Amino acid sequence: MSRYHRLAGNLSAAFEWAGNAVAFAARVGYQHFYGRALVERARVAWLRGDPTEAEADLVTADEVLASLGAALDLAYARLLRAALLHATCPASPRAREAWLAAAQAIEQGGYTFLLEQERPLALRLVAAYLSSPDAGAAALAKSLLAHLGRLPPPPLRIVTLGA
């Protein structure tokens, strides 16, 4: 429900649903769902303009998902954290470290489809790190750019006036 409301633009309802999911998963002890709910709550917090809360949720989600070995969800959480840190403090070492962790998780796990799902975030990150002075960060960006280059463009959507 949180994703639905987030995509519909109703961020207050999305945040409430995500908070309920986090509380429920914590109460019943379902760690995988807890990690995923934290990621969703972080996404909504970021959209609501609270990057500090978003990063705190993503750090906790990283710990939970890493302990479970949930590699796909962990790669997604790391991609969001890298995008968040790049948006808020692009020159910080934390942003570079987050990018390295995200790019390695995506590449090693074979989760390059996440780049397509999160194309706007991924394109900004890859473009930013292509010219990075850190050779490792630039190499990962170049590798992921090759994958992005093979993706078809997003479908053309035409909206006209009237029916």
Side-chain angles (χ1 to χ4, degrees), residues 71-76 79 101-117 140 143-144 147 150-151:
L72 172 60
D73 293 319
L74 181 60
Y76 181 68
L79 176 64
Q104 288 169 349
I106 290 168
E107 194 169 71
Q108 289 171 358
Y111 304 128
T112 52
F113 65 88
L114 290 174
L115 302 175
E116 183 176 4
Q117 286 179 349
L140 283 167
S143 172
L144 295 178
H147 174 74
R150 290 188 298 270
L151 293 177

Side-chain angles (χ1 to χ4, degrees), residues 96-148:
R96 185 186 57 76
E97 291 167 10
W99 161 251
L100 289 171
Q104 288 169 349
I106 290 168
E107 194 169 71
Q108 289 171 358
Y111 304 128
T112 52
F113 65 88
L114 290 174
L115 302 175
E116 183 176 4
Q117 286 179 349
E118 296 297 336
R119 190 180 301 224
L121 297 176
L123 285 173
R124 279 187 219 113
L125 285 169
V126 169
Y129 286 99
L130 275 173
S131 59
S132 173
D134 180 339
L140 283 167
K142 186 175 181 180
S143 172
L144 295 178
L145 179 64
H147 174 74
L148 284 169

Side-chain angles (χ1 to χ4, degrees), residues 61-76:
D62 189 292
E63 294 167 0
V64 170
L65 296 169
S67 72
L68 296 172
L72 172 60
D73 293 319
L74 181 60
Y76 181 68

Side-chain angles (χ1 to χ4, degrees), residues 37-117:
L38 284 167
V39 171
E40 177 60 24
R41 187 171 74 178
R43 186 82 189 258
V44 177
W46 182 14
L47 290 172
R48 290 179 68 194
D50 192 349
T52 305
E53 183 175 350
E55 186 182 5
D57 278 350
L58 288 170
V59 167
T60 305
D62 189 292
E63 294 167 0
V64 170
L65 296 169
S67 72
L68 296 172
L72 172 60
D73 293 319
L74 181 60
Y76 181 68
R78 288 180 175 174
L79 176 64
L80 288 180
R81 183 164 183 250
L84 171 70
L85 290 174
H86 178 73
T88 56
C89 50
S92 78
R94 287 183 15 209
R96 185 186 57 76
E97 291 167 10
W99 161 251
L100 289 171
Q104 288 169 349
I106 290 168
E107 194 169 71
Q108 289 171 358
Y111 304 128
T112 52
F113 65 88
L114 290 174
L115 302 175
E116 183 176 4
Q117 286 179 349

